[in-house]
Amino acid sequence: MPKSSKKNKEKVADFSKAKLKLGKGKKLPTNVVDTSFKARSIALPTQSIAIEKDDTVPTTKRRQTFNDILSLLKHYNAGTRKDAIFSARELFVDHPRLLDSSITPLIGACVRLIGDEDASVRKALISFFCWLLPRVPKDDMIPHIPLLLLFTTSAQTHIFPEIRIDAVRFMDIFLGIVPETVVDGWNEPRSGHGKRALEGYLGILSAGTKLGGAEGAAQATSTASVVLSPQSKLVVLRSLSSFLRCAIDPQSIVSGLSGMDLGLAAMPLSTWFLRPSFTCKRLYEENARIFQTSQYGKNGNHIIWNVEPEFGSFDEDFVYEPKNISGSPGAEWTLDDLSKSSVEQDNPSRAMGDIPFIVRLTRTLYAILTATYLDCAPVVFSPSTNPPETDLQMMAAALNITRTLYSAIMQSMDLSTPCEELKTLLGYLAGYFPFRPAHREHSLFQVEQAFQDLNVIYCELTSLLVLVSSQSGTGNVQSGNSRFRPPREKACSIFRKGDAKLDVQADLVRSHVIRLLRGEGELGAQLPRSISPTVYTALLPTIWALLNQVTGLGRQLVLSATLDHALRTATNSAVKRLTVEFVARLLLLEKESGYTGHFNPRDAGGDHDFQEWVLHLPKILWELGINNLATSQIIICALLRLLQRGSCVIQREQITSLGSRLVPFFVITHPIRGQVLGPFTKIPSSVPHIRRFALDLCASILADQTRHGIRDEDLYKAVFTAVKGTTEEEYWVQVTVAMRLT
């Protein structure tokens, strides 16, 4: 019953009309639409017609000034910040003069975006810095580097791994601009930019951020919480390789930054591998400076030596005056005093405080390098498929780090642990050497170039072991005082146990180097490629290690291949100067004071090849003309030093032949035009030392012939004709009178 009553009420409610009550408004229907609205005023003061704008202020296409861009770089919206970065680049492209006065506020605003949580903002900032920083003068950039590094090293320890990886990319940019500032204080106890950057690298690699004591590795204080992807690990390893190279070997900064073979070919030849073959550093440095020009040659000032100099007649940085000598004039020095003085001046090639730190750093990174070799080697050196680019580049970065670290410590301290570690690392790769892509016909040039670099680095690392092996076996010392002689007993025992394996590796390296020098290439190669200056410079330690062996037929094969390559290298090749200097240094070693190496050109068995190489130099000198003055200077200096020191390969016949072959360099007799001045007269007056070196060379040849009762009138007349009426005529007259050639 109640249920039926309820239904009746509901039916009545559907048709009932609500009664209106007094004072109450009409009830709105349920489907009514509210059409009311509210409006607020919008203030646009910058767009007011009452304000006059300055049309001379530089703006972008969006009418944004530099101040507008600075404010937008701090905007809460990530898209707006990214657009502001693009607008900044647009503004400086259209108005480059604005950059000088805006760099300080711009850097101050951009540094806060290094750790921005939006990936697109960081990517835009990386691109902007790559474009901007090389255009800023280095002197103007250095004051801002501490601020940039402060935010970058902070981003290296960020909680998000992608921000840490982008911080490494920023560090790469700064290493390319001011590497010496970035690595400053990297090995010092105090907390500096370089030390914080290194700790950031180690933290990202999960290798620890604090180095242990004298014998310990890094403490496990890493902030990395995720495993790096191969691409991210490649970014970190490649950047760490550049950082360590700039920190440990500052001399490589110039060549590393240039990235050009031409720039490397114009640099002085690095001969660090010869250091263990000299009794002390002082004698080694004298040998290293053998082809350097003196100061007077650069500025054109020449001072005639007198027995009693007039101290007020010329201005010198240092003038010897007996009254300024400390100590009694009659005091005599004993051999012990001289030995102590020599040792005090003979500082190690690197600061001894650096080597223990580098050893601890090497132990810290040893696990990372081992894991990289074991993970990448089977993929990179697979015989069936060409390697992925990421794994190939990661292997190259790991090998570069290995070379930088072990080349710094192999000849400086107790070699037992470093030698064992390096042998283990190379053992992971020995079964794949020589490295080559699986399918050469389908591989790109960059891939083959990368494999060639891997081969060169492997050869260099093996040569380090060979150098230490020969040095340890013969008891060669690096210091003139036994107190400073590094302990070698453990190293000797290591090589006695592993000589067989090392000999096998050395034989493989020797065969590979000989093929490279002869231009034969690898089996299956499409065409053998010529050696670039970078590759040739990297091969020199290996060549020297093979030449400096005690005995063996392999040494003669390497020497023959080296001389054959030096002869075949084209005159206009960028490698020509390097080959001339290296071969000349080999010939001059027998006359060097303090040289204790095994190689001796007199006993090397290559006299004929050496003589052929010497006699081809005048032709190269004439063909060069004034196109490559650096190579011309090296050729002239090499011939001059060989004559002055009485090299074993230059006999009377070679001296006579050199004299006749040098005549066209001064005067050419043309069948129609008659006498034509040679390339000597075209040498610019801005480099007079090259001309005088050439005159000294001719004077040395004529003096040697005069001692043997021979007179080369053609050379004498050619030189006299070339210098007649020039600034070198007086110098030639003085030389000929002093050497009694007239």
Side-chain angles (χ1 to χ4, degrees), residues 53-70 87-102:
K53 297 181 180 180
D54 187 3
D55 296 334
T56 61
V57 177
T59 59
T60 62
K61 294 180 180 179
R62 296 183 177 182
R63 302 295 182 183
Q64 294 174 337
T65 63
F66 179 70
N67 292 330
D68 297 335
I69 294 174
L70 289 181
S87 299
R89 179 169 180 174
E90 177 189 347
L91 181 66
F92 292 127
V93 168
D94 296 338
H95 308 280
R97 296 182 179 179
L98 187 63
L99 183 60
D100 295 336
S101 59
S102 306

Side-chain angles (χ1 to χ4, degrees), residues 603-620:
D603 305 327
D607 291 351
H608 177 73
D609 294 336
F610 274 125
Q611 291 172 355
E612 184 180 0
W613 175 82
V614 168
L615 294 179
H616 101 291
L617 293 180
K619 176 185 176 183
I620 302 300

Side-chain angles (χ1 to χ4, degrees), residues 426-444:
L426 293 182
Y428 298 139
L429 308 178
Y432 305 102
F433 184 81
F435 313 129
R436 60 176 70 91
H439 303 289
R440 290 182 178 272
E441 61 276 6
H442 302 298
S443 59
L444 301 175

